[in-house]
Amino acid sequence: MEINGAPADPDDLAALALSNIGHFTSMRVDDGRVRGLDLHMRRLVRDCRVVFDADLDPDRVLAYTRRAAAGRTGAFVVRITVFDPAIGLANPQARATPHILVTTRAAGAMPMPPLSVRPVVYRRDVPYVKHLGLFGQLRQRRAALLAGFDDALFVEPDGRVCEGGTWNVGFVVDDRVVWPDAPCLRGVTADLLKHLHPSTEEPVRIDEVGAVQAAFATNTAIGVRPIRRIGDHDLPVDHPLVARLGKEYRALTGEKL
């Protein structure tokens, strides 16, 4: 755990615990390479403008990330968090000096087992930004787990499916890939999949999911993960298109970290 290339100072970390203002991205590293590395950097630069109205140097971010990840092998996840320990509850309007916190954790093997998800009416605050405000979505995930599901699937009040707790959702309809047209965080993995396979963005209503051919969750840590159940609807987990998407994604070599 390092901040700006040095061991993390507890006083700086206190800002994250007490005010939680910032944004982040998480990247899976396989054998020293990251799928969509440039997209992750673009996300950080974009979100830094939105959250802090400040510029972020992606080369500086990469240098700190490489330092923190040095010596790790195999598969792991790097999380890059952008925040300013000088900004808190008393001065959220202050001019920001972005600090870079880099942490690492182990990554699970892919492919992962199918998910069961619980639909819930919920929208993340500022859904297009990968910010640090995780309370709402983790609360929904906890409730879903306690109800016997693996995670929550967020739905708009008008019934449109949005996204999962920390992942994008895709559907197979008439043997084609459909991404929900609704407020959500546009994920790097979903973007990569859109370039791998033709797809469309269309509204998908929760009362229509029983008629889709298949569904899957996707993010950097899980790749492409079939969804076996949405609420009361069981879905097939062996659709060839979902399997092909997973294989194509895993075959991406990515960029050298």
Side-chain angles (χ1 to χ4, degrees), residues 111-116 215-217 224-229 236-238 242-243:
M112 299 184 73
L115 283 168
S116 64
F216 59 92
V224 176
R225 189 173 182 180
I227 295 176
R228 63 179 177 84
R229 180 160 62 105
V237 297
D238 56 355
V242 176

Side-chain angles (χ1 to χ4, degrees), residues 3 9 12 17 19 87-89 105 133 174 188 211-212 235 252 256:
I3 297 178
D9 186 312
D12 289 341
S19 60
I87 292 180
L89 294 174
R105 61 179 173 85
D174 298 329
V188 167
V212 303
L235 298 172
L252 290 174
K256 184 175 176 57

Side-chain angles (χ1 to χ4, degrees), residues 18 31 59 79:
L18 299 175
D31 298 322
D59 292 333
R79 171 168 160 158

Side-chain angles (χ1 to χ4, degrees), residues 70-117:
R72 292 207 63 154
T73 59
F76 60 96
V77 175
V78 175
R79 171 168 160 158
I80 304 167
T81 302
V82 181
F83 75 113
D84 185 345
I87 292 180
L89 294 174
N91 63 335
Q93 82 290 354
R95 183 171 182 174
T97 301
H99 285 47
I100 313 301
L101 168 66
V102 183
T103 57
T104 62
R105 61 179 173 85
M110 294 192 295
M112 299 184 73
L115 283 168
S116 64
V117 297

